[in-house]
Structure formats: structure tokens, C-alpha cells
Amino acid sequence: MPGWGIALIITAIMLAVLAVLYFVGRRTQKKQAEQQEQIEAAKQTINILVISKKKLKLRDAGLPQAVLESTARWMRGRKVPVIQAKVGPKVMNFLAEPKVYDMVPVKKEVRADISGLYIINVRGLHGNVITPPAKKSFATKINDKMKSMSASLNEGSDKGKKKK
């Protein structure tokens, strides 16, 4: 078979895969938009006292059995952001969006937008906006580690010189 024939077959396969991905992506976007509308419709704003926050497997998060049964089987083993908070007299476990999870302060009272057991948004108690801590880039982390290592090596060599 000539080279152009193989190239033509590979191109046709790639176009078919791209078409399938396009239609699957559109369907997934529609489902996500519908779910977002449902979340917004059921949203409530309440004050919560955040006790702790962890990333746990869904089955270890202490959520109701109905939640575990309604999730997909492949999702049950994944780690999800879980926030343990006191709402009134009850201590409850909530799931949070990853961007919200970073903003939640521990051992503080906040005003949260909640839809069922899902935290959508978090604000300070008196309307203050909570900003997530700035994440360091990989290069910055390496640079800081190198500086701390060189500082500890310099301290060790200075101690040796003082003893003599």
C-alpha cells in the first residue's frame, strides 16, 4: 500500500475520533449546565463554623449512605475535599468545590452558600471576601529549598570553625 493511502486512513480515523469527542463534549456541557441550574435553584446562605477540612475518599468522608449510592462507582475511591462544620447545634460534613476548599479558613465562622451537602461559595461573616493563599510555583519552591539547604550547610561549617 502506498504511503499516501496510509496517511489517508490515519487522517480519516483522526477525523472520526474528533467528531465523536465533539459530540460527547457538547452533551457533557449540556448536562453540566442543567446540574448548575439545579444547584443554583437549591442554594441557601447559612453561617457555619468550620471545624476541619480534609481530602478524604468519598466512602470515608462520613456522608449519608444515600449520597454514596447515588455516586458513580469509579468516583467512590477518589479523594474529595470534605469540610466538617458546625451548623447551629449539629456537626455536619460537607463537600466543597476545589476552589472554595482553598479559601475556607479553619476554626472560623463564615457565611457559605450551600446546596444540599455541597458548598458552592464562601464569604467572611460580615461580607468580607476571603482570598485563597497564593500558591508557589515549582521553581519558587525549588529555589526556597536550595536557599534553606545552603543556609543549613553554612551554619554547620560556621560551627565547626568556632570549635577550633
Side-chain angles (χ1 to χ4, degrees):
M1 184 179 270
W4 61 270
I6 294 172
L8 188 62
I9 292 172
I10 291 173
T11 305
I13 291 172
M14 289 177 56
L15 287 175
V17 168
L18 286 175
V20 168
L21 287 175
Y22 173 75
F23 288 113
V24 169
R26 281 185 53 195
R27 185 172 33 166
T28 307
Q29 281 181 339
K30 286 180 185 177
K31 283 183 183 179
Q32 185 180 14
E34 291 172 6
Q35 289 173 350
Q36 196 63 33
E37 288 175 11
Q38 290 175 350
I39 287 173
E40 289 295 323
K43 180 172 68 169
Q44 300 175 358
T45 301
I46 60 173
N47 292 340
I48 61 172
L49 174 65
V50 178
I51 297 171
S52 68
K53 62 181 194 175
K54 302 173 192 164
K55 291 197 176 194
L56 299 170
K57 291 186 177 181
L58 196 59
R59 62 178 173 257
D60 299 334
L63 297 169
Q65 190 64 30
V67 173
L68 292 175
E69 291 171 358
S70 67
T71 57
R73 194 171 293 268
W74 60 271
M75 184 70 176
R76 293 180 193 168
R78 293 186 75 189
K79 289 192 173 186
V80 293
V82 177
I83 296 175
Q84 186 177 22
K86 186 173 182 182
V87 181
K90 292 176 71 175
V91 175
M92 299 177 68
N93 291 335
F94 294 100
L95 296 176
E97 288 188 16
K99 66 176 184 168
V100 172
Y101 179 78
D102 294 334
M103 294 182 353
V104 175
V106 180
K107 308 254 192 258
K108 299 236 173 149
E109 192 168 355
V110 294
R111 181 166 288 152
D113 292 336
I114 295 177
S115 178
L117 292 176
Y118 196 65
I119 297 178
I120 302 167
N121 191 12
V122 175
R123 294 181 302 278
L125 192 58
H126 300 290
N128 300 337
V129 177
I130 301 170
T131 56
K135 294 196 174 192
K136 292 183 179 180
S137 68
F138 180 72
T140 308
K141 289 178 187 177
I142 296 293
N143 198 6
D144 291 345
K145 192 170 189 176
M146 293 297 287
K147 285 181 183 177
S148 67
M149 287 176 66
S150 65
S152 65
L153 287 175
N154 289 339
E155 285 180 11
S157 63
D158 291 341
K159 288 180 183 177
K161 289 179 182 177
K162 290 180 182 178
K163 288 183 180 179
K164 291 182 181 177

